[in-house]
Structures are given as C-alpha cells and as structure tokens.
Amino acid sequence: MTTAALEPRAGRRCHNMLNSLHATHYFSPDLGRELGAVGITDPRAVNFAVRAAALGPVGAGAVTAAFYNYKYELVARHVPTVWETAAPGQVLAARARAVDATLRRLLGEEALASAEMAEAARLALRAAEACSREARPLYAAHADLPVPEEPHLAYWHAATLLREHRGDGHLAVLMSAGLDGLEAVVTHTATGKGMTPKWVSTTRGWSRKDWEAATDRLRGRGLLAASGDLTEQGVALRREIEHETDRLDRAPYEHLGPQGVARLTELGGAFAHAALVAGAFPADLIGKGDA
C-alpha cells in the first residue's frame, strides 16, 4: 500500500495553528500576575525568563543567540540577574500556572475537558516524537521537560515543542540567507505578516535608528524598495526562507501523516480561532505599521 505524500505547506499550516495558541500566554495578564508573584515584574524580564527558563540559568549571550532577533543590550539588562529573583524551576512552574489560567479564560472549561482537546494533545505529541535535538537548543531544552498530565497543558506543551523546533531551524535558514536578527524582522514586517515596528521596539529593544540602519542595509542589497516594501528579490528571498524552513521542519508532520496533520490543523485552528475571538492578542500587533 502506498502512503499518501504530505502536501508541501501542510506542516507550515499546522504549525501556524499550534503556534497561535502557544503564543497567547506571552500577551496574557495571567503571565504577568504569576511571574509577579515570584518577584519578576518587568514585562521584558518576564518574556526572557519564561522562554529561556528551560535552558537553565543562562546568561545574556546564550539568550540572545537562542532568540536571535533581540538586541543584546536589552537582554543583558535582565539576564542573568532575573535568575537571582526566581530560579528557572520557579519560573517554569509560574508559567505553567499562567498557561492553565489563560487557556481556561480564553477557551472555557468545556473546550479544555473535550474529547477534541484530548485528541489534539495526542496528535501533537505524536508529531513531536519525530523532532530532533541537534542544533536546536530551545527545542531540546523544552523536550527535556515532563509532559503535563492534563490534556490542555499537554497540548500546549506539544505546541511549544513544535514551535521551538521549527523556530530553531528557521534561525539557521536566516543565518544562511545573510540576515541578522533585526534585518530578519524588518523583512518579515515588510511582508505584512510580522510584528509592527512599534512592537518590535517595545519587545526586542531596537531603536528607530537601528531600524533605519537595517533598512538601509537591506536596500543596499536590493531587498527593500524606497517605499519600505519588499522588492521582487526580497519577496523571492522570504519565499525561499519559508520553503527551506519547511524542509528542515518536515519530519514531525511526515511522522504524523497527511490525515493526522489535516485533523490536527482542523482542531488547532478551532482552538486558535476561539482564542483570537476572546481577545488573546493586541489589535495592533501584526502589520507594517510606521517605522
């Protein structure tokens, strides 16, 4: 019997649905409350702590390398001193409480206890079985964490594994394309699908001067037009970056198979849509905005 081939963008579509739900906790008031309870109150320190905690009490250099598109000087303001306030284990426990509260608030108790949530967790965890640790530090660190017992937390955990697996591979592709962290963000924003410059500055620490310098470099390479839009060459580069990222991230979705991927995309899309409707994200988060 011949096994049906996975459609080229199927993994990307599935990842996008899972990543949407994973990302809700970064914008959740529950996260600020739970991290505040362990002494971490600065929103940017919260962001660094919750995503890097699985790595252990690492320094600013390791966090900047793993995150790729944050300004080192911003990271160094908060890392490694954040670990003096709360150890990584405390941060991970606080994050788990925040994720639990966030999903209950956005999706409701009925969805969390549903057969669909349990099925989504099983499918996502099965896909994650085929992820690889090599050259993927954020994925590998999270893969060492235990799988939560409750289905909605297991689903979020699996979504995190798949998100960081793809993300680590994506960074390798960006480096190969010759884009530094900020240049990668500028070109992504220029597609209309990335964060607005306001949110990049707020969360990543880049100034207007930094943004303009990156823009000038990209124009010099023929990737950005004077208008700030991508040129044909820039569009082609971003397309190739996504295709190569898909290639490096294909194994989990091939392991799950076309039917499993389609079902997980359907289930993940329903949960992501419910979270979006419930106001999970700021209205001005995505778009070209004003540089």
Side-chain angles (χ1 to χ4, degrees):
M1 178 184 291
T2 339
T3 304
L6 189 67
E7 193 274 324
R9 295 189 184 181
R12 188 194 308 182
R13 287 193 294 268
C14 188
H15 162 268
N16 288 343
M17 296 302 99
L18 273 62
N19 185 45
S20 292
L21 197 70
H22 162 89
T24 57
H25 80 296
Y26 291 120
F27 305 94
S28 170
D30 305 305
L31 187 65
R33 185 186 68 250
E34 292 294 346
L35 269 291
V38 297
I40 303 174
T41 55
D42 186 296
R44 289 187 281 198
V46 167
N47 183 37
F48 295 137
V50 295
R51 192 165 176 224
L55 295 166
V58 293
V63 172
T64 304
F67 288 17
Y68 197 73
N69 55 25
Y70 287 72
K71 192 169 184 175
Y72 173 79
E73 289 77 8
L74 173 64
V75 179
R77 281 183 220 158
H78 304 286
V79 179
T81 54
V82 68
W83 310 126
E84 297 171 10
T85 303
Q90 291 177 288
V91 171
L92 290 171
R95 181 182 69 170
R97 293 191 297 270
V99 169
D100 180 57
T102 299
L103 295 182
R104 290 182 188 280
R105 176 170 50 80
L106 294 176
L107 302 182
E109 299 292 337
E110 185 176 344
L112 267 57
S114 67
E116 288 78 9
M117 180 61 77
E119 182 185 5
R122 287 194 301 272
L123 290 170
L125 287 168
R126 189 185 309 159
E129 291 171 355
C131 291
S132 57
R133 286 181 168 83
E134 292 83 359
R136 288 182 164 95
L138 278 172
Y139 160 73
H142 284 87
D144 283 344
L145 300 178
V147 178
E149 291 184 9
E150 293 185 82
H152 65 288
L153 295 180
Y155 175 63
W156 184 87
H157 174 76
T160 301
L161 297 180
L162 293 166
R163 175 255 175 87
E164 299 297 8
H165 186 268
R166 183 178 179 88
D168 286 337
H170 184 61
L171 301 190
V173 177
L174 292 173
M175 286 187 65
S176 179
L179 295 177
D180 66 27
L182 182 53
E183 291 165 354
V185 171
V186 172
T187 57
H188 191 209
T189 295
T191 68
K193 298 177 182 179
M195 289 192 302
T196 62
K198 168 194 164 184
W199 275 95
V200 172
S201 174
T202 300
T203 61
R204 268 66 174 164
W206 301 104
S207 67
R208 177 181 289 272
K209 184 178 178 181
D210 294 326
W211 185 279
E212 290 172 352
T215 298
D216 287 343
R217 293 194 299 272
L218 293 165
R219 284 176 181 152
R221 289 178 59 184
L223 300 175
L224 276 188
S227 63
D229 294 324
L230 291 171
T231 61
E232 287 187 14
Q233 185 182 343
V235 170
L237 179 62
R238 286 299 321 187
R239 185 184 302 119
E240 179 57 30
I241 285 169
E242 295 305 325
H243 287 171
E244 184 64 7
T245 302
D246 289 345
R247 186 184 70 80
L248 294 179
D249 192 41
R250 198 166 177 81
Y253 303 100
E254 287 184 334
H255 178 67
L256 186 56
Q259 289 186 336
V261 170
R263 179 58 174 161
L264 182 55
T265 304
E266 177 188 5
L267 293 168
F271 294 137
H273 178 71
L276 182 65
V277 170
F281 302 102
D284 62 348
L285 179 64
I286 301 298
K288 295 183 180 181
D290 297 318

